[in-house]
Structures are given as structure tokens and as C-alpha cells.
């Protein structure tokens, strides 16, 4: 009797152990994949309490929740040769547990590597302005690049990819700040110039209206006087016609022109010499004595007195005698002074 009880107890314990090994609890966010002696069973176990063979069956549970994977900072060069560091985050989930377990080993690590390489490739094809201003386009392109090697072969779906931070060099940040400051200054100048242009058009229209209606200018002048008297009571305003100022300006210009014309000295005209009398002219003609030429037409050499000079010695003597001396020059100077 005791032996029977012992055998029954042993069988009961063994049954409980086998039952414990046969029961598996699958959560709502999980899928169960059963391998029997290493071979994949086609049925995927859903959430709840599932029974498998205690010997030979092994169940792997795969979470179908969306997982968040951070991509470490990646140094890259943009299309316009700017070096920067970018980090991103990837949201993905398992849509096919069989492929996620059979086709790839450690799929979170595989997704991380794919995300790093895809991030470098996408940044290398984009320029800095697009990367900073159009992040939605960069995120969509990065998701498209990552979907190709992960969804169909591995049973993973990339739901979202976002670039978190873009670290620029300090020199590039200073250059961008200068560019932004210059752009804001340009916009301010354009707005100011546009305002001046509109104001000039309004003033031109107002001037044309006042020119057509002379009384409008007087009314405007009175309104200005009222405005000034309202702010500063101690100020005395005396309207002065502009036409009178223009008259005084015209008169001052004419006066200055006449004074300048009078101040210019005129050159003195040379005195006309007196005409000599007839008897004085005859005496002047008779006083002039003709002199014989030094070289007559016959070709003979003659002196100052008309004598003939034959040899070279005589010619030299004649030149020496006729050469002017200091005494002659002094006498000529004295006659000129007298």
C-alpha cells in the first residue's frame, strides 16, 4: 500500500512538471514562434496561455511593440564640403516574427548599423542649407533608404526616422551668424527704402493737390501753427512766404554777379604814337647814310670803309679792328640810358 502511494505521488509530481514545461504564457504585445527539434513550426502562437510539447519544442517570444533606437553621433561631409556631426533616432517594430528570428541575428543591432550607414549616405548627398531648413525631406529620404534592406528581408518596419541634432564647427557658426545678420540688415534697408518711396509718392500727390488749390497750402500752414502752439506755448511762429525768399535770393545773385564783373581789371590799351610831320620825315630820311655791303655781288672782300681785302691776314686784321670792346659796350649803354 505504501509503495502504491509512493508511485502515485511520483507520477503526480512528474505530471505537474511536464504540465509546467508544456504551458507558455504569451503577452498581448508578443508573438510566439515554436521550434520543434530545431525546425520552425508554421503556426505562430498568439497572446494567452499556450501548450507545447515539453520535450522537443522550444518557444521564442518576439515583441511587436515599437522600439526606439538612438543612433550615435556620426561625422559626415555634406555635398558642399561642410564637416558636421549628426545624431538621429529610429522608430521601428517587428511585422514578421519568423523573418526577424530566422533571417537576421540580433535585429536591433542590425538596424543600428543600417541607420548609421544610411545617415552618412543621405547627409553626403544633401547640402548644408537643405539639411538645416528642410529636415522633413531629409527624414523621409532616410526612412526610404532604411526601409529597403529591413522590411522585406528582415520583417521590420521603419516607422519614423528623425534627426535630433546637427553640430557645426565654431567657424561655420560664426559665418552663418554674420550671414544672417547681413540678411536682416538688407531686409531692414529694403523696408526703409520702400517706406521712403511710398512716402515720396504720397508727398508728391499732396504737393500736386496743393498746387492746384492755393488755399490748401494756407490751411496746411495754419494747421502747422496750431500743432506747434499746442506743444510749445512759448514759441512764436511767423509765417514767411517762400516766394519772397526766392525774390531775395534772385536779387542777391544779380548783385554778386555785378560786383564780380566790376572787380575784374581791364588791360590798358597801348598809346597810339603821334604821326610825324612831313618836314621831320624828310630830315629823318636824309640823315640815314647808306653803307657799303661787306660782301659785294662781285665776290670780292671789302672792309668796313669800302677798301679791298685780299689775303687772309688782312681779313683777320679787319675783324680784329671791327670787334666791339668794353668801352664801346659802355658807351652804347650810356647812350641807351640817355
Amino acid at each position: 500500500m505504501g509503495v502504491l502511494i509512493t508511485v502515485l505521488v511520483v507520477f503526480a509530481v512528474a505530471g505537474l512538471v511536464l504540465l509546467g514545461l508544456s504551458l507558455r504564457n504569451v503577452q498581448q504585445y508578443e508573438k510566439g514562434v515554436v521550434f520543434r527539434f530545431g525546425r520552425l513550426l508554421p503556426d505562430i502562437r498568439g497572446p494567452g496561455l499556450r501548450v507545447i510539447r515539453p520535450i522537443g519544442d522550444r518557444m521564442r517570444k518576439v515583441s511587436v511593440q515599437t522600439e526606439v533606437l538612438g543612433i550615435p553621433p556620426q561625422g559626415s561631409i555634406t555635398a558642399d564640403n561642410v564637416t558636421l556631426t549628426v545624431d538621429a533616432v529610429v522608430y521601428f517594430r517587428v511585422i514578421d516574427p519568423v523573418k526577424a528570428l530566422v533571417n537576421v541575428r540580433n535585429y536591433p543591432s542590425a538596424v543600428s548599423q543600417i541607420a548609421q550607414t544610411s545617415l552618412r549616405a543621405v547627409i553626403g548627398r544633401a547640402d548644408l542649407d537643405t539639411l538645416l531648413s528642410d529636415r522633413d525631406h531629409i527624414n523621409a529620404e532616410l526612412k526610404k533608404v532604411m526601409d529597403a534592406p529591413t522590411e522585406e528581408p528582415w520583417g521590420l518596419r521603419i516607422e519614423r526616422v528623425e534627426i535630433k541634432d546637427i553640430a557645426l564647427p565654431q567657424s561655420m557658426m560664426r559665418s552663418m551668424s554674420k550671414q544672417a545678420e547681413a540678411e536682416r540688415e538688407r531686409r531692414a534697408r529694403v523696408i526703409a527704402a520702400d517706406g521712403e518711396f511710398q512716402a515720396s509718392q504720397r508727398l508728391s500727390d499732396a504737393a500736386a493737390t496743393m498746387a492746384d488749390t492755393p488755399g490748401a497750402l494756407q490751411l496746411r500752414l495754419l494747421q502747422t501753427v496750431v500743432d506747434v502752439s499746442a506743444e510749445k506755448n512759448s514759441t512764436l511762429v511767423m509765417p514767411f512766404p517762400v516766394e519772397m525768399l526766392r525774390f531775395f535770393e534772385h536779387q542777391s545773385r544779380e548783385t554778386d554777379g555785378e560786383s564780380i564783373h566790376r572787380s575784374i581789371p581791364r588791360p590798358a590799351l597801348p598809346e597810339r604814337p603821334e604821326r610825324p610831320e612831313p618836314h621831320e620825315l624828310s630830315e629823318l630820311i636824309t640823315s640815314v647814310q647808306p653803307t657799303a655791303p661787306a660782301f659785294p655781288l662781285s665776290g670780292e672782300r671789302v672792309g668796313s670803309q669800302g677798301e679791298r681785302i685780299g689775303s687772309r691776314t688782312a681779313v683777320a686784321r679787319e675783324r680784329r679792328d671791327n670787334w666791339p670792346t668794353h668801352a664801346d659796350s659802355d658807351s652804347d649803354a650810356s647812350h641807351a640810358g640817355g
Side-chain angles (χ1 to χ4, degrees), residues 20-240:
L21 294 176
S22 300
L23 296 178
R24 293 289 185 272
N25 185 21
V26 180
Q27 301 293 333
Q28 182 66 36
Y29 54 86
E30 294 177 340
K31 296 291 184 181
V33 180
V34 179
F35 293 89
R36 181 168 295 171
F37 296 104
R39 183 180 179 181
L40 177 66
L41 296 181
D43 296 335
I44 297 178
R45 309 301 171 89
L49 188 62
R50 300 300 174 179
V51 179
I52 61 174
R53 294 180 181 181
I55 299 174
D57 287 354
R58 185 170 56 92
M59 178 182 288
R60 293 285 303 273
K61 299 177 184 179
V62 179
S63 176
V64 294
Q65 290 178 321
T66 300
E67 298 187 18
V68 181
L69 181 64
I71 303 175
Q74 302 295 315
S76 181
I77 301 177
T78 60
D80 49 355
N81 298 326
V82 178
T83 303
L84 45 82
T85 303
V86 182
D87 56 349
V89 59
V90 180
Y91 301 88
F92 71 96
R93 67 185 181 89
V94 178
I95 59 175
D96 192 343
V98 176
K99 292 182 179 180
L101 291 176
V102 176
N103 295 345
V104 62
R105 180 179 181 183
N106 193 5
Y107 59 87
S109 178
V111 171
S112 176
Q113 297 299 322
I114 287 292
Q116 294 178 23
T117 55
S118 301
L119 182 61
R120 294 194 193 100
V122 171
I123 292 176
R125 291 195 298 265
D127 55 359
L128 182 60
D129 294 337
T130 305
L131 192 62
L132 295 176
S133 60
D134 195 3
R135 288 197 180 184
D136 294 337
H137 175 70
I138 299 298
N139 295 336
E141 186 176 358
L142 186 58
K143 178 181 180 299
K144 182 180 179 181
V145 172
M146 293 182 61
D147 275 338
T150 56
E151 184 171 1
E152 184 64 27
W154 297 348
L156 305 175
R157 175 174 296 174
I158 305 298
E159 294 184 346
R160 194 172 182 180
V161 182
E162 291 186 357
I163 296 177
K164 292 196 301 183
D165 187 22
I166 301 176
L168 296 174
Q170 294 295 330
S171 58
M172 181 60 63
M173 295 177 65
R174 287 193 296 267
S175 300
M176 292 178 63
S177 63
K178 291 180 181 179
Q179 180 182 0
E181 184 178 358
E183 180 66 21
R184 293 190 185 95
E185 185 176 358
R186 183 188 68 83
R187 292 180 181 177
R189 290 183 178 180
V190 169
I191 294 173
D194 192 11
E196 292 291 337
F197 177 72
Q198 295 179 4
S200 64
Q201 287 183 340
R202 296 297 183 184
L203 290 175
S204 178
D205 297 340
T209 304
M210 290 183 179
D212 296 337
T213 308
L217 182 61
Q218 188 67 21
L219 294 176
R220 182 60 182 168
L221 180 61
L222 295 176
Q223 182 65 33
T224 303
V225 172
V226 171
D227 295 340
V228 173
S229 62
E231 294 179 0
K232 299 180 180 179
N233 297 329
S234 61
T235 302
L236 179 62
V237 180
M238 298 183 62
F240 196 81

Side-chain angles (χ1 to χ4, degrees), residues 239-309:
F240 196 81
V242 181
E243 289 77 6
M244 188 173 294
L245 293 177
R246 293 177 180 174
F247 173 75
F248 287 151
E249 183 181 1
H250 181 68
Q251 292 295 329
S252 63
R253 288 181 180 177
E254 291 182 354
T255 304
D256 294 342
E258 292 179 359
S259 62
I260 292 174
H261 182 69
R262 292 176 181 177
S263 62
I264 297 176
R266 296 182 178 180
L269 298 177
E271 296 181 358
R272 182 177 297 177
E274 298 181 358
R275 185 175 183 179
E277 298 295 332
H279 66 277
E280 295 179 355
L281 183 61
S282 62
E283 292 178 358
L284 180 61
I285 294 173
T286 55
S287 64
V288 178
Q289 299 293 332
T291 57
F295 299 95
L297 298 177
S298 60
E300 296 179 354
R301 297 180 180 179
V302 296
S304 61
Q305 302 300 328
E307 70 276 8
R308 293 181 178 182
I309 301 175

